[in-house]
């Protein structure tokens, strides 16, 4: 591995530590290096908090003068909730900046290199570009398409059934607990009307602290929904949205205006299939149970798995989690 790639790989791993907590900001990691030694490192934790570059430079202190700065994303060059990182880089005396991917935010895009070069700082871009781009697929989609990153989560048996007669749950406790973690990393949870009628779900995050409960979103054609459903009567009822006879583009655009970066879709089957056919699903999460289910046609699920070009899986107790990102998203 080349020297630049080695240090950028470290910055990538730092950025991953933030998980989903940075939204609506991107995940960013940074490392200050001189003489083959790390002088400072950091990652961005969330909106309004210090950026990765500022943290790494602060930790390096006066030793940052003459050092190299590795950062996964093009440094910001405008003043938002925090001062521009290009200013901190200049003041610290950094001699060279190496970044992996360009920012798609028009306030910053393609500006850092010009600002830094004018200050006599050398700039190298595109190191571990693919890995750095992958860190912020959801952020880039939200910024450029002005729609949320749509995640479809389904629990199903290995033979493709989405339910088991007489059984409330398909998957085990650990898989169901993981759903709470997935919800925590999203700004809204969407289901179809039939899910509300049949299951009366809460659609809330119930483990750990969160700043605010995600929006609960229901799509319906008839508008016939039970008035006593929990999403309309509980303490979070003001976080419930209903869209009747709206196209997916209109629903997603409206959610974007409400600050929804990541949208989790939890069912049912018709809602999921409709979103897939509209080309709106960007990531799929399948929790597969080894338990058999009734024979039914879910051929579209098979097409999803065939279409995905990037697949990750891991065990969740007795179940298996698959995460799939399709080729049209990977690029």
């Amino acid at each position: 591995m080349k020297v630049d790639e080695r240090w950028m790989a470290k910055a990538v791993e730092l950025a991953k530590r933030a998980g989903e907590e940075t939204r609506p900001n991107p995940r960013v990691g940074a490392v200050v290096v001189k003489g083959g030694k790390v002088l400072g490192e950091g990652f961005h934790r969330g909106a309004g908090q210090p950026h990765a570059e500022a943290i790494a430079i602060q930790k390096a202190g006066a030793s940052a003068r003459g050092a190299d700065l590795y950062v996964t994303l093009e440094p910001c060059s405008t003043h938002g909730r925090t001062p521009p990182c290009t200013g901190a880089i200049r003041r610290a005396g950094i001699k060279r900046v190496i970044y992996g991917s360009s920012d798609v935010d028009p306030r910053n895009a393609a500006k850092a290199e010009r600002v830094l070069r004018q200050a006599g700082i050398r700039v190298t871009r595109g190191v571990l570009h693919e890995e750095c781009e992958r860190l912020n697929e959801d952020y880039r989609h939200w910024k450029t398409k002005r729609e949320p990153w749509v995640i479809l989560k389904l629990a199903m048996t290995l033979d493709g059934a989405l339910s088991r007669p007489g059984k409330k749950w398909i998957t085990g406790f650990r898989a169901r607990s993981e759903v709470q973690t997935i919800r925590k990393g999203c700004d809204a949870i969407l289901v179809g009307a039939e899910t509300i009628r049949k299951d009366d779900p809460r659609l809330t995050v119930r483990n750990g602290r969160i700043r605010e409960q995600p929006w609960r979103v229901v799509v319906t054609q008839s508008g016939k929904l039970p008035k006593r459903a929990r999403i309309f009567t509980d303490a979070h009822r003001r976080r419930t949205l209903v869209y009747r006879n709206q196209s997916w583009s209109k629903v997603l655009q409206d959610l974007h205006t409400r600050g929804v970066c990541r949208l989790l879709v939890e069912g049912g089957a018709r809602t999921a299939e409709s979103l897939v056919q509209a080309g709106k699903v960007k990531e799929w999460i399948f929790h597969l149970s080894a338990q058999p289910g009734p024979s039914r046609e879910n051929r579209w699920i098979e097409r999803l798995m065939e279409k995905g070009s990037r697949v990750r899986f891991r065990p969740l107790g007795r179940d298996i989690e698959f995460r799939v990102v399709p080729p049209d998203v990977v690029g």
Side-chain angles (χ1 to χ4, degrees):
M1 182 181 289
K2 297 179 181 178
V3 173
D4 281 353
E5 292 179 349
R6 173 192 172 191
W7 296 120
M8 187 62 75
K10 183 172 182 60
V12 168
E13 291 307 310
L14 285 166
K16 290 178 180 178
R17 292 185 190 177
E20 320 304 343
E21 297 303 312
T22 63
R23 64 188 196 280
N25 289 359
R27 306 165 189 85
V28 185
V31 186
V32 175
V33 178
K34 184 162 65 175
K37 294 182 179 181
V38 175
L39 304 179
E41 62 183 42
F43 63 93
H44 180 51
R45 294 179 180 273
Q49 298 190 50
H51 287 191
E53 304 95 312
I55 295 171
I57 289 171
Q58 182 181 34
K59 289 182 177 179
S63 300
R65 185 163 298 279
D68 295 339
L69 172 67
Y70 292 84
V71 58
T72 55
L73 185 69
E74 174 184 2
C76 67
S77 52
T78 55
H79 201 300
R81 296 186 185 183
T82 59
C85 290
T86 49
I89 292 168
R90 292 198 310 267
R91 290 190 297 273
I94 296 290
K95 72 171 184 180
R96 179 172 172 247
V97 172
I98 306 94
Y99 66 87
S101 64
S102 299
D103 196 350
V104 294
D105 188 329
R107 297 173 299 174
N108 300 312
K111 295 178 182 178
E113 185 169 350
R114 183 179 69 251
V115 171
L116 295 173
R117 288 190 185 280
Q118 288 174 349
I121 299 170
R122 290 187 292 142
V123 178
T124 301
R125 51 189 166 88
V127 176
L128 294 188
H129 178 263
E130 184 177 339
E131 291 87 339
C132 292
E133 288 272 288
R134 192 179 297 176
L135 284 171
N136 292 301
E137 289 171 314
D138 49 359
Y139 165 78
R140 294 200 316 276
H141 177 82
W142 182 70
K143 276 288 184 183
T144 60
K145 304 299 183 182
R146 303 190 67 78
E147 291 183 352
W149 176 266
V150 178
I151 304 164
L152 171 59
K153 194 282 298 180
L154 293 173
M156 63 185 183
T157 62
L158 286 178
D159 53 359
L162 300 181
S163 63
R164 296 173 62 207
K167 299 289 184 179
K168 183 177 182 180
W169 307 111
I170 288 180
T171 53
F173 174 79
R174 186 171 173 188
R176 297 198 301 273
S177 296
E178 178 62 19
V179 172
Q180 292 293 316
T181 301
I182 297 170
R183 287 180 177 180
K184 189 176 179 181
C186 295
D187 305 291
I189 304 165
L190 183 146
V191 296
E194 191 62 19
T195 297
I196 299 299
R197 297 186 194 109
K198 289 175 60 177
D199 301 335
D200 192 18
R202 284 180 282 180
L203 302 180
T204 54
V205 176
R206 298 188 290 277
N207 65 350
R209 288 187 175 185
I210 57 171
R211 290 170 293 182
E212 192 171 31
Q213 284 290 340
W215 290 102
R216 284 94 59 91
V217 183
V218 185
V219 290
T220 175
Q221 292 182 340
S222 68
K224 296 179 180 179
L225 295 166
K227 295 180 179 180
R228 300 306 302 168
R230 288 189 283 193
I231 61 169
F232 299 128
T233 57
D234 66 12
H236 312 294
R237 55 189 176 276
R238 292 185 179 178
R239 298 288 290 172
T240 298
L241 301 170
V242 176
Y243 295 93
R244 182 181 180 185
N245 286 330
Q246 296 288 318
S247 70
W248 284 119
S249 291
K250 288 186 177 180
V251 171
L252 296 178
Q253 287 166 9
D254 185 70
L255 290 174
H256 178 276
T257 65
R258 297 174 185 271
V260 176
C261 303
R262 292 168 57 87
L263 171 65
L264 178 64
V265 180
E266 293 197 10
R270 283 185 296 180
T271 299
E273 184 170 8
S274 175
L275 269 166
V276 171
Q277 290 177 343
K280 297 300 185 181
V281 177
K282 303 306 172 186
E283 181 179 351
W284 305 306
I285 301 176
F286 298 100
H287 286 175
L288 301 183
S289 168
Q291 302 298 318
S295 176
R296 67 175 57 190
E297 287 292 318
N298 280 324
R299 302 295 299 177
W300 61 275
I301 294 177
E302 293 181 18
R303 292 198 297 272
L304 293 185
M305 296 295 283
E306 292 170 0
K307 186 181 178 185
S309 69
R310 194 167 76 234
V311 181
R312 292 183 294 136
F313 68 92
R314 61 173 178 152
L316 288 175
R318 70 185 187 192
D319 308 310
I320 302 173
E321 177 184 85
F322 281 86
R323 293 194 179 220
V324 185
V325 176
D328 59 333
V329 176
V330 174

PDB file of all heavy atoms in Angstrom, residues 273-302:
ATOM      1  N   GLU A 273     -42.810  -3.208  -3.069  1.00  0.00           N
ATOM      2  CA  GLU A 273     -42.699  -3.493  -4.498  1.00  0.00           C
ATOM      3  C   GLU A 273     -42.926  -2.242  -5.336  1.00  0.00           C
ATOM      4  O   GLU A 273     -42.244  -2.006  -6.338  1.00  0.00           O
ATOM      5  CB  GLU A 273     -43.702  -4.574  -4.901  1.00  0.00           C
ATOM      6  CG  GLU A 273     -43.567  -4.993  -6.350  1.00  0.00           C
ATOM      7  CD  GLU A 273     -44.382  -6.216  -6.682  1.00  0.00           C
ATOM      8  OE1 GLU A 273     -45.186  -6.658  -5.833  1.00  0.00           O
ATOM      9  OE2 GLU A 273     -44.207  -6.745  -7.798  1.00  0.00           O
ATOM     10  N   SER A 274     -43.868  -1.404  -4.913  1.00  0.00           N
ATOM     11  CA  SER A 274     -44.147  -0.161  -5.631  1.00  0.00           C
ATOM     12  C   SER A 274     -42.926   0.758  -5.640  1.00  0.00           C
ATOM     13  O   SER A 274     -42.581   1.353  -6.665  1.00  0.00           O
ATOM     14  CB  SER A 274     -45.343   0.552  -4.989  1.00  0.00           C
ATOM     15  OG  SER A 274     -45.568   1.800  -5.593  1.00  0.00           O
ATOM     16  N   LEU A 275     -42.261   0.872  -4.492  1.00  0.00           N
ATOM     17  CA  LEU A 275     -41.061   1.704  -4.415  1.00  0.00           C
ATOM     18  C   LEU A 275     -39.935   1.152  -5.282  1.00  0.00           C
ATOM     19  O   LEU A 275     -39.216   1.906  -5.944  1.00  0.00           O
ATOM     20  CB  LEU A 275     -40.589   1.800  -2.961  1.00  0.00           C
ATOM     21  CG  LEU A 275     -41.141   2.960  -2.139  1.00  0.00           C
ATOM     22  CD1 LEU A 275     -40.866   2.727  -0.664  1.00  0.00           C
ATOM     23  CD2 LEU A 275     -40.533   4.281  -2.590  1.00  0.00           C
ATOM     24  N   VAL A 276     -39.787  -0.152  -5.274  1.00  0.00           N
ATOM     25  CA  VAL A 276     -38.748  -0.778  -6.094  1.00  0.00           C
ATOM     26  C   VAL A 276     -39.022  -0.531  -7.573  1.00  0.00           C
ATOM     27  O   VAL A 276     -38.129  -0.147  -8.333  1.00  0.00           O
ATOM     28  CB  VAL A 276     -38.667  -2.291  -5.800  1.00  0.00           C
ATOM     29  CG1 VAL A 276     -37.761  -2.987  -6.799  1.00  0.00           C
ATOM     30  CG2 VAL A 276     -38.154  -2.521  -4.389  1.00  0.00           C
ATOM     31  N   GLN A 277     -40.258  -0.719  -7.992  1.00  0.00           N
ATOM     32  CA  GLN A 277     -40.607  -0.519  -9.390  1.00  0.00           C
ATOM     33  C   GLN A 277     -40.432   0.933  -9.818  1.00  0.00           C
ATOM     34  O   GLN A 277     -40.132   1.214 -10.985  1.00  0.00           O
ATOM     35  CB  GLN A 277     -42.043  -0.980  -9.636  1.00  0.00           C
ATOM     36  CG  GLN A 277     -42.216  -2.491  -9.542  1.00  0.00           C
ATOM     37  CD  GLN A 277     -43.655  -2.930  -9.726  1.00  0.00           C
ATOM     38  OE1 GLN A 277     -44.590  -2.115  -9.623  1.00  0.00           O
ATOM     39  NE2 GLN A 277     -43.857  -4.205  -9.992  1.00  0.00           N
ATOM     40  N   ALA A 278     -40.586   1.854  -8.859  1.00  0.00           N
ATOM     41  CA  ALA A 278     -40.383   3.280  -9.160  1.00  0.00           C
ATOM     42  C   ALA A 278     -38.907   3.656  -9.165  1.00  0.00           C
ATOM     43  O   ALA A 278     -38.562   4.802  -9.491  1.00  0.00           O
ATOM     44  CB  ALA A 278     -41.133   4.132  -8.141  1.00  0.00           C
ATOM     45  N   GLY A 279     -38.033   2.715  -8.804  1.00  0.00           N
ATOM     46  CA  GLY A 279     -36.596   2.978  -8.809  1.00  0.00           C
ATOM     47  C   GLY A 279     -36.124   3.856  -7.666  1.00  0.00           C
ATOM     48  O   GLY A 279     -35.086   4.514  -7.773  1.00  0.00           O
ATOM     49  N   LYS A 280     -36.865   3.856  -6.562  1.00  0.00           N
ATOM     50  CA  LYS A 280     -36.531   4.761  -5.461  1.00  0.00           C
ATOM     51  C   LYS A 280     -35.715   4.111  -4.344  1.00  0.00           C
ATOM     52  O   LYS A 280     -35.165   4.831  -3.500  1.00  0.00           O
ATOM     53  CB  LYS A 280     -37.824   5.329  -4.856  1.00  0.00           C
ATOM     54  CG  LYS A 280     -38.645   6.170  -5.829  1.00  0.00           C
ATOM     55  CD  LYS A 280     -37.874   7.377  -6.333  1.00  0.00           C
ATOM     56  CE  LYS A 280     -38.750   8.280  -7.198  1.00  0.00           C
ATOM     57  NZ  LYS A 280     -37.980   9.449  -7.719  1.00  0.00           N
ATOM     58  N   VAL A 281     -35.624   2.803  -4.317  1.00  0.00           N
ATOM     59  CA  VAL A 281     -34.890   2.133  -3.240  1.00  0.00           C
ATOM     60  C   VAL A 281     -33.401   2.156  -3.539  1.00  0.00           C
ATOM     61  O   VAL A 281     -32.961   1.733  -4.605  1.00  0.00           O
ATOM     62  CB  VAL A 281     -35.373   0.681  -3.060  1.00  0.00           C
ATOM     63  CG1 VAL A 281     -34.543  -0.028  -1.988  1.00  0.00           C
ATOM     64  CG2 VAL A 281     -36.851   0.660  -2.682  1.00  0.00           C
ATOM     65  N   LYS A 282     -32.609   2.648  -2.587  1.00  0.00           N
ATOM     66  CA  LYS A 282     -31.162   2.773  -2.768  1.00  0.00           C
ATOM     67  C   LYS A 282     -30.380   1.765  -1.941  1.00  0.00           C
ATOM     68  O   LYS A 282     -29.193   1.552  -2.200  1.00  0.00           O
ATOM     69  CB  LYS A 282     -30.716   4.196  -2.405  1.00  0.00           C
ATOM     70  CG  LYS A 282     -31.424   5.276  -3.215  1.00  0.00           C
ATOM     71  CD  LYS A 282     -31.280   5.035  -4.707  1.00  0.00           C
ATOM     72  CE  LYS A 282     -32.142   5.981  -5.532  1.00  0.00           C
ATOM     73  NZ  LYS A 282     -32.100   5.636  -6.981  1.00  0.00           N
ATOM     74  N   GLU A 283     -31.008   1.191  -0.946  1.00  0.00           N
ATOM     75  CA  GLU A 283     -30.326   0.194  -0.116  1.00  0.00           C
ATOM     76  C   GLU A 283     -31.386  -0.765   0.418  1.00  0.00           C
ATOM     77  O   GLU A 283     -32.470  -0.341   0.823  1.00  0.00           O
ATOM     78  CB  GLU A 283     -29.595   0.872   1.045  1.00  0.00           C
ATOM     79  CG  GLU A 283     -28.826  -0.063   1.947  1.00  0.00           C
ATOM     80  CD  GLU A 283     -28.092   0.666   3.071  1.00  0.00           C
ATOM     81  OE1 GLU A 283     -28.039   1.912   3.043  1.00  0.00           O
ATOM     82  OE2 GLU A 283     -27.587  -0.015   3.972  1.00  0.00           O
ATOM     83  N   TRP A 284     -31.037  -2.048   0.422  1.00  0.00           N
ATOM     84  CA  TRP A 284     -31.971  -3.054   0.917  1.00  0.00           C
ATOM     85  C   TRP A 284     -31.363  -3.764   2.105  1.00  0.00           C
ATOM     86  O   TRP A 284     -30.188  -4.146   2.096  1.00  0.00           O
ATOM     87  CB  TRP A 284     -32.284  -4.089  -0.165  1.00  0.00           C
ATOM     88  CG  TRP A 284     -32.785  -3.491  -1.434  1.00  0.00           C
ATOM     89  CD1 TRP A 284     -33.826  -2.645  -1.597  1.00  0.00           C
ATOM     90  CD2 TRP A 284     -32.236  -3.687  -2.742  1.00  0.00           C
ATOM     91  NE1 TRP A 284     -33.986  -2.298  -2.913  1.00  0.00           N
ATOM     92  CE2 TRP A 284     -33.016  -2.925  -3.646  1.00  0.00           C
ATOM     93  CE3 TRP A 284     -31.178  -4.442  -3.250  1.00  0.00           C
ATOM     94  CZ2 TRP A 284     -32.769  -2.892  -5.013  1.00  0.00           C
ATOM     95  CZ3 TRP A 284     -30.923  -4.411  -4.612  1.00  0.00           C
ATOM     96  CH2 TRP A 284     -31.716  -3.641  -5.470  1.00  0.00           C
ATOM     97  N   ILE A 285     -32.172  -3.972   3.122  1.00  0.00           N
ATOM     98  CA  ILE A 285     -31.751  -4.761   4.283  1.00  0.00           C
ATOM     99  C   ILE A 285     -32.747  -5.905   4.442  1.00  0.00           C
ATOM    100  O   ILE A 285     -33.938  -5.675   4.640  1.00  0.00           O
ATOM    101  CB  ILE A 285     -31.710  -3.915   5.570  1.00  0.00           C
ATOM    102  CG1 ILE A 285     -30.740  -2.735   5.410  1.00  0.00           C
ATOM    103  CG2 ILE A 285     -31.302  -4.775   6.763  1.00  0.00           C
ATOM    104  CD1 ILE A 285     -30.715  -1.795   6.605  1.00  0.00           C
ATOM    105  N   PHE A 286     -32.242  -7.128   4.338  1.00  0.00           N
ATOM    106  CA  PHE A 286     -33.078  -8.312   4.511  1.00  0.00           C
ATOM    107  C   PHE A 286     -32.674  -9.026   5.785  1.00  0.00           C
ATOM    108  O   PHE A 286     -31.492  -9.341   5.978  1.00  0.00           O
ATOM    109  CB  PHE A 286     -32.908  -9.285   3.336  1.00  0.00           C
ATOM    110  CG  PHE A 286     -33.330  -8.725   2.009  1.00  0.00           C
ATOM    111  CD1 PHE A 286     -32.383  -8.245   1.114  1.00  0.00           C
ATOM    112  CD2 PHE A 286     -34.660  -8.686   1.656  1.00  0.00           C
ATOM    113  CE1 PHE A 286     -32.766  -7.739  -0.112  1.00  0.00           C
ATOM    114  CE2 PHE A 286     -35.046  -8.178   0.427  1.00  0.00           C
ATOM    115  CZ  PHE A 286     -34.103  -7.698  -0.463  1.00  0.00           C
ATOM    116  N   HIS A 287     -33.628  -9.280   6.662  1.00  0.00           N
ATOM    117  CA  HIS A 287     -33.409 -10.143   7.813  1.00  0.00           C
ATOM    118  C   HIS A 287     -34.060 -11.481   7.486  1.00  0.00           C
ATOM    119  O   HIS A 287     -35.289 -11.590   7.441  1.00  0.00           O
ATOM    120  CB  HIS A 287     -33.996  -9.523   9.079  1.00  0.00           C
ATOM    121  CG  HIS A 287     -33.181  -8.382   9.582  1.00  0.00           C
ATOM    122  ND1 HIS A 287     -33.567  -7.605  10.652  1.00  0.00           N
ATOM    123  CD2 HIS A 287     -31.984  -7.874   9.177  1.00  0.00           C
ATOM    124  CE1 HIS A 287     -32.643  -6.672  10.875  1.00  0.00           C
ATOM    125  NE2 HIS A 287     -31.686  -6.818   9.991  1.00  0.00           N
ATOM    126  N   LEU A 288     -33.213 -12.470   7.236  1.00  0.00           N
ATOM    127  CA  LEU A 288     -33.685 -13.768   6.774  1.00  0.00           C
ATOM    128  C   LEU A 288     -33.754 -14.771   7.912  1.00  0.00           C
ATOM    129  O   LEU A 288     -32.778 -14.962   8.644  1.00  0.00           O
ATOM    130  CB  LEU A 288     -32.757 -14.304   5.679  1.00  0.00           C
ATOM    131  CG  LEU A 288     -32.590 -13.432   4.427  1.00  0.00           C
ATOM    132  CD1 LEU A 288     -31.703 -14.138   3.425  1.00  0.00           C
ATOM    133  CD2 LEU A 288     -33.939 -13.107   3.812  1.00  0.00           C
ATOM    134  N   SER A 289     -34.891 -15.410   8.033  1.00  0.00           N
ATOM    135  CA  SER A 289     -35.088 -16.450   9.020  1.00  0.00           C
ATOM    136  C   SER A 289     -35.017 -17.817   8.349  1.00  0.00           C
ATOM    137  O   SER A 289     -35.473 -17.978   7.206  1.00  0.00           O
ATOM    138  CB  SER A 289     -36.447 -16.288   9.706  1.00  0.00           C
ATOM    139  OG  SER A 289     -36.765 -17.434  10.467  1.00  0.00           O
ATOM    140  N   ALA A 290     -34.449 -18.782   9.036  1.00  0.00           N
ATOM    141  CA  ALA A 290     -34.395 -20.144   8.499  1.00  0.00           C
ATOM    142  C   ALA A 290     -35.742 -20.848   8.615  1.00  0.00           C
ATOM    143  O   ALA A 290     -35.923 -21.939   8.085  1.00  0.00           O
ATOM    144  CB  ALA A 290     -33.327 -20.950   9.237  1.00  0.00           C
ATOM    145  N   GLN A 291     -36.703 -20.223   9.305  1.00  0.00           N
ATOM    146  CA  GLN A 291     -38.016 -20.832   9.481  1.00  0.00           C
ATOM    147  C   GLN A 291     -38.774 -20.835   8.147  1.00  0.00           C
ATOM    148  O   GLN A 291     -38.749 -19.842   7.414  1.00  0.00           O
ATOM    149  CB  GLN A 291     -38.828 -20.062  10.526  1.00  0.00           C
ATOM    150  CG  GLN A 291     -38.159 -19.990  11.888  1.00  0.00           C
ATOM    151  CD  GLN A 291     -37.972 -21.354  12.502  1.00  0.00           C
ATOM    152  OE1 GLN A 291     -38.864 -22.190  12.440  1.00  0.00           O
ATOM    153  NE2 GLN A 291     -36.812 -21.585  13.100  1.00  0.00           N
ATOM    154  N   PRO A 292     -39.443 -21.919   7.807  1.00  0.00           N
ATOM    155  CA  PRO A 292     -40.194 -21.961   6.544  1.00  0.00           C
ATOM    156  C   PRO A 292     -41.448 -21.106   6.614  1.00  0.00           C
ATOM    157  O   PRO A 292     -42.002 -20.859   7.684  1.00  0.00           O
ATOM    158  CB  PRO A 292     -40.548 -23.445   6.394  1.00  0.00           C
ATOM    159  CG  PRO A 292     -40.617 -23.940   7.805  1.00  0.00           C
ATOM    160  CD  PRO A 292     -39.548 -23.182   8.554  1.00  0.00           C
ATOM    161  N   GLY A 293     -41.868 -20.631   5.459  1.00  0.00           N
ATOM    162  CA  GLY A 293     -43.095 -19.843   5.389  1.00  0.00           C
ATOM    163  C   GLY A 293     -44.023 -20.421   4.342  1.00  0.00           C
ATOM    164  O   GLY A 293     -43.685 -21.400   3.667  1.00  0.00           O
ATOM    165  N   PRO A 294     -45.199 -19.831   4.155  1.00  0.00           N
ATOM    166  CA  PRO A 294     -46.136 -20.328   3.148  1.00  0.00           C
ATOM    167  C   PRO A 294     -45.594 -20.039   1.751  1.00  0.00           C
ATOM    168  O   PRO A 294     -44.852 -19.076   1.545  1.00  0.00           O
ATOM    169  CB  PRO A 294     -47.409 -19.516   3.424  1.00  0.00           C
ATOM    170  CG  PRO A 294     -46.911 -18.247   4.038  1.00  0.00           C
ATOM    171  CD  PRO A 294     -45.718 -18.646   4.865  1.00  0.00           C
ATOM    172  N   SER A 295     -45.942 -20.850   0.816  1.00  0.00           N
ATOM    173  CA  SER A 295     -45.522 -20.624  -0.566  1.00  0.00           C
ATOM    174  C   SER A 295     -46.237 -19.396  -1.105  1.00  0.00           C
ATOM    175  O   SER A 295     -47.443 -19.280  -1.043  1.00  0.00           O
ATOM    176  CB  SER A 295     -45.872 -21.853  -1.413  1.00  0.00           C
ATOM    177  OG  SER A 295     -45.563 -21.607  -2.765  1.00  0.00           O
ATOM    178  N   ARG A 296     -45.467 -18.443  -1.624  1.00  0.00           N
ATOM    179  CA  ARG A 296     -46.075 -17.260  -2.224  1.00  0.00           C
ATOM    180  C   ARG A 296     -45.109 -16.653  -3.225  1.00  0.00           C
ATOM    181  O   ARG A 296     -43.912 -16.899  -3.170  1.00  0.00           O
ATOM    182  CB  ARG A 296     -46.485 -16.223  -1.173  1.00  0.00           C
ATOM    183  CG  ARG A 296     -45.343 -15.569  -0.443  1.00  0.00           C
ATOM    184  CD  ARG A 296     -45.840 -14.485   0.488  1.00  0.00           C
ATOM    185  NE  ARG A 296     -46.795 -15.005   1.435  1.00  0.00           N
ATOM    186  CZ  ARG A 296     -47.523 -14.248   2.243  1.00  0.00           C
ATOM    187  NH1 ARG A 296     -47.394 -12.944   2.211  1.00  0.00           N
ATOM    188  NH2 ARG A 296     -48.367 -14.781   3.105  1.00  0.00           N
ATOM    189  N   GLU A 297     -45.648 -15.841  -4.108  1.00  0.00           N
ATOM    190  CA  GLU A 297     -44.827 -15.267  -5.160  1.00  0.00           C
ATOM    191  C   GLU A 297     -44.228 -13.939  -4.696  1.00  0.00           C
ATOM    192  O   GLU A 297     -44.938 -12.948  -4.581  1.00  0.00           O
ATOM    193  CB  GLU A 297     -45.664 -15.053  -6.436  1.00  0.00           C
ATOM    194  CG  GLU A 297     -45.995 -16.338  -7.171  1.00  0.00           C
ATOM    195  CD  GLU A 297     -44.746 -16.980  -7.771  1.00  0.00           C
ATOM    196  OE1 GLU A 297     -43.917 -16.243  -8.316  1.00  0.00           O
ATOM    197  OE2 GLU A 297     -44.608 -18.208  -7.685  1.00  0.00           O
ATOM    198  N   ASN A 298     -42.943 -13.949  -4.430  1.00  0.00           N
ATOM    199  CA  ASN A 298     -42.209 -12.711  -4.153  1.00  0.00           C
ATOM    200  C   ASN A 298     -41.016 -12.647  -5.095  1.00  0.00           C
ATOM    201  O   ASN A 298     -39.872 -12.460  -4.693  1.00  0.00           O
ATOM    202  CB  ASN A 298     -41.730 -12.669  -2.699  1.00  0.00           C
ATOM    203  CG  ASN A 298     -42.845 -12.245  -1.758  1.00  0.00           C
ATOM    204  OD1 ASN A 298     -43.666 -11.415  -2.124  1.00  0.00           O
ATOM    205  ND2 ASN A 298     -42.878 -12.809  -0.578  1.00  0.00           N
ATOM    206  N   ARG A 299     -41.304 -12.842  -6.388  1.00  0.00           N
ATOM    207  CA  ARG A 299     -40.225 -12.896  -7.372  1.00  0.00           C
ATOM    208  C   ARG A 299     -39.468 -11.583  -7.456  1.00  0.00           C
ATOM    209  O   ARG A 299     -38.295 -11.561  -7.798  1.00  0.00           O
ATOM    210  CB  ARG A 299     -40.796 -13.233  -8.757  1.00  0.00           C
ATOM    211  CG  ARG A 299     -41.565 -14.543  -8.810  1.00  0.00           C
ATOM    212  CD  ARG A 299     -40.665 -15.726  -8.542  1.00  0.00           C
ATOM    213  NE  ARG A 299     -39.600 -15.847  -9.518  1.00  0.00           N
ATOM    214  CZ  ARG A 299     -38.650 -16.755  -9.470  1.00  0.00           C
ATOM    215  NH1 ARG A 299     -38.610 -17.613  -8.468  1.00  0.00           N
ATOM    216  NH2 ARG A 299     -37.709 -16.802 -10.398  1.00  0.00           N
ATOM    217  N   TRP A 300     -40.130 -10.465  -7.131  1.00  0.00           N
ATOM    218  CA  TRP A 300     -39.445  -9.175  -7.197  1.00  0.00           C
ATOM    219  C   TRP A 300     -38.322  -9.107  -6.189  1.00  0.00           C
ATOM    220  O   TRP A 300     -37.312  -8.436  -6.408  1.00  0.00           O
ATOM    221  CB  TRP A 300     -40.440  -8.036  -6.976  1.00  0.00           C
ATOM    222  CG  TRP A 300     -41.120  -8.057  -5.650  1.00  0.00           C
ATOM    223  CD1 TRP A 300     -42.230  -8.756  -5.312  1.00  0.00           C
ATOM    224  CD2 TRP A 300     -40.725  -7.354  -4.478  1.00  0.00           C
ATOM    225  NE1 TRP A 300     -42.557  -8.529  -3.998  1.00  0.00           N
ATOM    226  CE2 TRP A 300     -41.660  -7.668  -3.468  1.00  0.00           C
ATOM    227  CE3 TRP A 300     -39.691  -6.479  -4.180  1.00  0.00           C
ATOM    228  CZ2 TRP A 300     -41.575  -7.152  -2.194  1.00  0.00           C
ATOM    229  CZ3 TRP A 300     -39.604  -5.955  -2.909  1.00  0.00           C
ATOM    230  CH2 TRP A 300     -40.531  -6.288  -1.933  1.00  0.00           C
ATOM    231  N   ILE A 301     -38.451  -9.814  -5.056  1.00  0.00           N
ATOM    232  CA  ILE A 301     -37.375  -9.843  -4.065  1.00  0.00           C
ATOM    233  C   ILE A 301     -36.146 -10.531  -4.654  1.00  0.00           C
ATOM    234  O   ILE A 301     -35.017 -10.086  -4.482  1.00  0.00           O
ATOM    235  CB  ILE A 301     -37.832 -10.552  -2.779  1.00  0.00           C
ATOM    236  CG1 ILE A 301     -38.923  -9.728  -2.102  1.00  0.00           C
ATOM    237  CG2 ILE A 301     -36.657 -10.769  -1.831  1.00  0.00           C
ATOM    238  CD1 ILE A 301     -39.498 -10.374  -0.869  1.00  0.00           C
ATOM    239  N   GLU A 302     -36.389 -11.623  -5.396  1.00  0.00           N
ATOM    240  CA  GLU A 302     -35.281 -12.306  -6.035  1.00  0.00           C
ATOM    241  C   GLU A 302     -34.595 -11.380  -7.028  1.00  0.00           C
ATOM    242  O   GLU A 302     -33.370 -11.384  -7.147  1.00  0.00           O
ATOM    243  CB  GLU A 302     -35.779 -13.567  -6.742  1.00  0.00           C
ATOM    244  CG  GLU A 302     -36.298 -14.643  -5.792  1.00  0.00           C
ATOM    245  CD  GLU A 302     -36.767 -15.873  -6.540  1.00  0.00           C
ATOM    246  OE1 GLU A 302     -36.379 -16.025  -7.723  1.00  0.00           O
ATOM    247  OE2 GLU A 302     -37.504 -16.673  -5.954  1.00  0.00           O
TER     248      GLU A 302
END
